[in-house]
Amino acid sequence: MARLIYILNGPNLNLLGQREPEVYGHTTLADVESACTTLAAGLGLELRFLQTNHEGQLVDWVQDARGAAAGIIINPAALTHTSIAVLDALNAFDGPVIELHISQVHKREAFRHHSYVSQRADAVMAGFGTHGYELALRHMAHVLG
Ligand code: CA2
């Protein structure tokens, strides 16, 4: 059976490709999911690609990943900078965690420079645009061996 990877997306990422293209580009989240699904098949991985605007839902999905997923790629969006609940949920997950940001958060406002999730993440990516999702998936396949 293929190893399952969760790709989790936080608040407002459903708007990807529809607003602020100068920051986040023109690619939609559906485009990203489609590219990742194709790539995952080639890497021998299975995907659950999810987006929510709700902190508790993100916590529930991270908890679901325990015992089900080999690894988590997460773009917590604004919850990156605020959510101890998401950090605590990730701390209860045993596999590799990759934190991903489409934009280069360290070039942006100071409030985006701190991440609670980084205290758990095994790797952190920022500024690779939506292509970062595919890079993260390749790295996940590499670390899972
Ligand atoms: O760069 C990233 O991926 C972020 O996680 C995106 C978050 C932001 O709060 C983080 O600081 C960095 C925002 C996601 C909102 O996405 C939108 C996409 C298109 C239009 C409006 C919002």
Side-chain angles (χ1 to χ4, degrees), residues 10-73:
N12 297 305
L13 284 164
N14 54 308
L15 298 177
L16 203 62
Q18 299 170 41
R19 303 288 303 272
E20 299 186 58
E22 67 287 355
V23 181
Y24 299 111
H26 291 278
T27 305
T28 67
L29 202 61
D31 295 332
V32 174
E33 178 174 6
S34 163
C36 287
T37 301
T38 303
L39 177 61
L43 294 170
L45 300 172
E46 192 185 327
L47 272 198
R48 258 195 100 186
F49 191 101
L50 300 164
Q51 188 275 329
T52 181
N53 289 329
H54 305 282
E55 182 175 18
Q57 179 66 81
L58 202 53
V59 168
D60 284 345
W61 285 337
V62 172
Q63 289 190 15
D64 288 349
R66 297 176 68 223
I72 297 176
I73 297 168

Side-chain angles (χ1 to χ4, degrees), residues 41-126:
L43 294 170
L45 300 172
E46 192 185 327
L47 272 198
R48 258 195 100 186
F49 191 101
L50 300 164
Q51 188 275 329
T52 181
N53 289 329
H54 305 282
E55 182 175 18
Q57 179 66 81
L58 202 53
V59 168
D60 284 345
W61 285 337
V62 172
Q63 289 190 15
D64 288 349
R66 297 176 68 223
I72 297 176
I73 297 168
I74 185 166
N75 183 347
L79 294 172
T80 307
H81 319 298
T82 63
S83 181
I84 297 168
V86 172
L87 170 63
D88 286 345
L90 287 166
N91 277 332
F93 178 77
D94 284 333
V97 172
I98 302 176
E99 175 184 348
L100 181 158
H101 300 285
I102 297 164
S103 64
Q104 211 295 52
V105 283
H106 299 287
K107 263 175 85 173
R108 300 182 65 192
E109 303 95 322
F111 65 82
R112 297 186 202 276
H113 298 177
H114 175 263
S115 164
Y116 284 103
V117 170
S118 291
Q119 294 186 32
R120 165 62 182 89
D122 300 294
V124 180
M125 301 175 60

